[in-house]
Amino acid sequence: MKRLLALLILWLLLLPAAVPAADDYGYPIPGAYEATILGTPGPLKAPRPERMSVRQLFLEINPALRKPDVFFYDEGLRCTLAYQDRKAPLVFLIAGTGADDQSQKALAMMAALYKAGYHVITLPSPTHPNFIINASRSHVPGDLTEDAEDLHRAMELAWDRVKADVEVSEFHLCGYSLGGTHAAFVARLDEERKVFNFRKVLLVNPAVNLFNSVNRIEGLLERIPGGSRKIGVYFNRMLAKVIDFYRRGDYVDIDDNFLYAVYKAHLFSRDESGGLIGLSFRISLAGMVFSSDVMTNSGYVVPKNRVLGATDPLGDYFRVSVHLSFLTYFDEYFYPYIRKKRPGLDRAAYIASLGLRSIEGYLKASPKFGAMTNEDDFILTKEEVDYLRGLFGERARIYPRGGHMGNLEYRDNMADFIGFFKQE
């Protein structure tokens, strides 16, 4: 199903007709959903280095951990190191929700930093199955304080693994999307432990509050015909539209010409485009729920004490998981786990703790922090965008459009991204 979703998104990967903007910001895609899906057109991307020295790391975080056979393919926590042949600053980069260390966004940021002369280590999101299996002590992601402790421990082990091979002058920290929010909590933890003493910390398109942002993404599925319960029908209809369009046209390959034709034909409505983003999130959520459930033997999706082997079919578990909303997961699985550890915990107070406001005194007082986001990032309300502007002041760069991470690779954004770390 992931391959089919990737194909659907690929169909949309075409530069739309540029709409003249009233500002001097040159990123050309006006719609937040379209920008999120399409990203940055190739000619407007910042150039990448011709070559990078890269090495993948496999970290054994917990040597005593016995992994279930169903995860037979797992080789340890995967991180990626890009290294210079000289002394240089090192940037730890935390991926966004459901993304691994080699996600498209992580690699784009790694390339820009490498080209600017930095070492880089990318880490998967604590919500990615690889992190849940190997690096999460509880195997239940979502608590920002616990996630930060797990991330910091993984960073220490990654640094131990490479420090004999790379010469580092200072450390920086960066994260995108949920990884941006994680970065704030990791930096605060490091202030206490004084291991890396990060000189700069950049939050790229962060969630101000995890619970609220995820519910907004989930809300995109409620706008498809029939709502989120009709995910399968919606997906099949989208697929049928494109197949029919292909058959009726004079096309041979699914290439840029075909994709441009799809865009020009307005094959998908705005709500259908938003539904693709919501569906992509649901697939990531399904992987997170399944991995956590198997590792904790909670019996939430997989029957308790059911031992899954390497050849067991997993399709039924995926179908169950992909129909679980974040709110359902939160109320039936995640929050009971947290409340069991902290009896008397108030739900509303706990939700309020899942975001930047809970540590805003620290963030506001520290000049090491900066943020980049967009006015039309749909994981934020207008009030939350203004909150980031007020929290970081001149260290907040708010672009007029780009959706959620859609303009990351735009050359002006990348120049600002690198410029933040270069500032004294």
Side-chain angles (χ1 to χ4, degrees):
M1 191 166 181
K2 279 188 173 181
R3 292 184 62 188
L4 291 175
L5 176 64
L7 184 59
L8 274 175
I9 293 175
L10 182 65
W11 287 327
L12 289 173
L13 284 175
L14 218 284
L15 172 66
V19 177
D23 51 64
D24 59 359
Y25 181 55
Y27 181 76
I29 301 175
Y33 302 155
E34 291 79 3
T36 302
I37 295 170
L38 293 165
T40 299
L44 300 180
K45 288 182 179 179
R48 293 196 177 194
E50 293 182 2
R51 56 169 293 278
M52 284 197 297
S53 297
V54 175
R55 193 170 92 206
Q56 192 154 40
L57 311 175
F58 295 91
L59 304 178
E60 191 175 24
I61 304 288
N62 181 4
L65 176 68
R66 185 182 181 283
K67 299 173 192 173
D69 290 343
V70 69
F71 300 129
F72 66 94
Y73 52 85
D74 190 276
E75 300 177 87
L77 183 72
R78 295 193 306 270
C79 304
T80 300
L81 166 71
Y83 57 97
Q84 308 284 345
D85 58 3
R86 60 187 179 278
K87 188 174 186 178
L90 188 151
V91 182
F92 283 104
L93 177 58
I94 305 170
T97 305
D100 66 12
D101 60 306
Q102 296 200 348
S103 70
Q104 181 188 2
K105 299 286 190 300
L107 293 180
M109 298 164 95
M110 169 183 275
L113 288 163
Y114 183 86
K115 191 169 188 292
Y118 292 82
H119 305 296
V120 185
I121 293 179
T122 62
L123 299 105
S125 167
T127 60
H128 188 274
N130 179 251
F131 195 99
I132 294 169
I133 294 167
N134 292 286
S136 172
R137 287 163 300 168
S138 67
H139 308 294
V140 181
D143 181 88
L144 293 174
T145 300
E146 291 186 5
D147 288 351
E149 291 175 355
D150 294 334
L151 281 164
H152 196 271
R153 184 173 59 152
M155 289 175 187
E156 288 188 84
L157 288 175
W159 171 233
D160 281 345
R161 176 69 64 84
V162 305
K163 63 185 180 184
D165 303 322
V166 297
E167 194 174 5
V168 171
S169 56
E170 60 187 4
F171 294 95
H172 302 293
L173 179 61
C174 180
Y176 69 86
S177 192
L178 175 58
T181 313
H182 276 130
F185 282 76
V186 171
R188 186 184 64 156
L189 179 64
D190 190 71
E191 294 277 4
E192 300 168 6
R193 298 184 177 178
K194 301 190 182 308
V195 175
F196 298 111
N197 300 305
F198 300 114
R199 191 174 76 78
K200 289 281 188 178
V201 182
L202 182 60
L203 322 182
V204 180
N205 289 79
V208 170
N209 181 279
L210 167 62
F211 183 88
N212 294 342
S213 286
V214 171
N215 274 323
R216 286 187 199 101
I217 298 173
E218 281 278 348
L220 299 176
L221 282 175
E222 298 305 324
R223 299 176 197 166
I224 64 175
S228 60
R229 292 186 177 181
K230 298 295 183 181
I231 285 177
V233 176
Y234 158 77
F235 182 82
N236 290 333
R237 186 173 61 251
M238 298 279 280
L239 188 60
K241 275 188 179 185
V242 177
I243 291 173
D244 181 63
F245 185 81
Y246 179 85
R247 285 174 174 166
R248 287 189 287 105
D250 185 22
Y251 305 106
V252 176
D253 298 318
I254 299 179
D255 56 10
D256 283 356
N257 291 329
F258 175 75
L259 300 174
Y260 184 68
V262 169
Y263 173 77
K264 294 290 286 183
H266 302 290
L267 209 58
F268 303 134
S269 69
R270 173 178 166 77
D271 286 345
E272 286 176 330
S273 297
L276 277 177
I277 297 170
L279 180 58
S280 177
F281 172 78
R282 272 290 182 90
I283 291 173
S284 294
L285 181 65
M288 183 186 83
V289 171
F290 176 78
S291 302
S292 178
D293 189 42
V294 171
M295 291 302 295
T296 58
N297 189 27
S298 296
Y300 186 53
V301 174
V302 180
K304 196 172 181 64
N305 298 325
R306 172 75 182 273
V307 178
L308 292 175
T311 59
D312 283 323
L314 304 179
D316 287 346
Y317 302 123
F318 175 76
R319 278 186 281 277
V320 170
S321 299
V322 85
H323 282 87
L324 291 171
S325 71
F326 170 75
L327 188 59
T328 302
Y329 161 79
F330 185 91
D331 284 334
E332 294 183 351
Y333 184 88
F334 177 72
Y335 183 60
Y337 156 77
I338 294 293
R339 195 172 50 191
K340 189 174 181 180
K341 295 174 67 175
R342 307 174 203 174
L345 184 69
D346 177 76
R347 184 177 184 274
Y350 181 67
I351 289 173
S353 76
L354 297 175
L356 302 181
R357 294 180 197 272
S358 66
I359 56 171
E360 69 177 9
Y362 164 66
L363 296 174
K364 196 160 192 172
S366 176
K368 70 171 66 175
F369 286 95
M372 299 171 64
T373 192
N374 302 312
E375 293 278 6
D376 65 349
D377 189 338
F378 49 82
I379 75 165
L380 304 174
T381 63
K382 183 180 183 306
E383 186 272 335
E384 287 176 328
V385 173
D386 290 340
Y387 173 78
L388 290 175
R389 190 179 277 119
L391 182 63
F392 296 113
E394 294 181 350
R395 292 173 284 122
R397 186 75 172 86
I398 314 292
Y399 301 94
R401 57 189 167 278
H404 186 62
M405 304 290 301
N407 55 348
L408 171 70
E409 295 187 72
Y410 179 52
R411 57 196 177 205
D412 288 3
N413 288 59
M414 278 301 184
D416 293 341
F417 173 69
I418 297 300
F420 173 80
F421 292 104
K422 294 284 188 185
Q423 290 174 353
E424 293 299 326

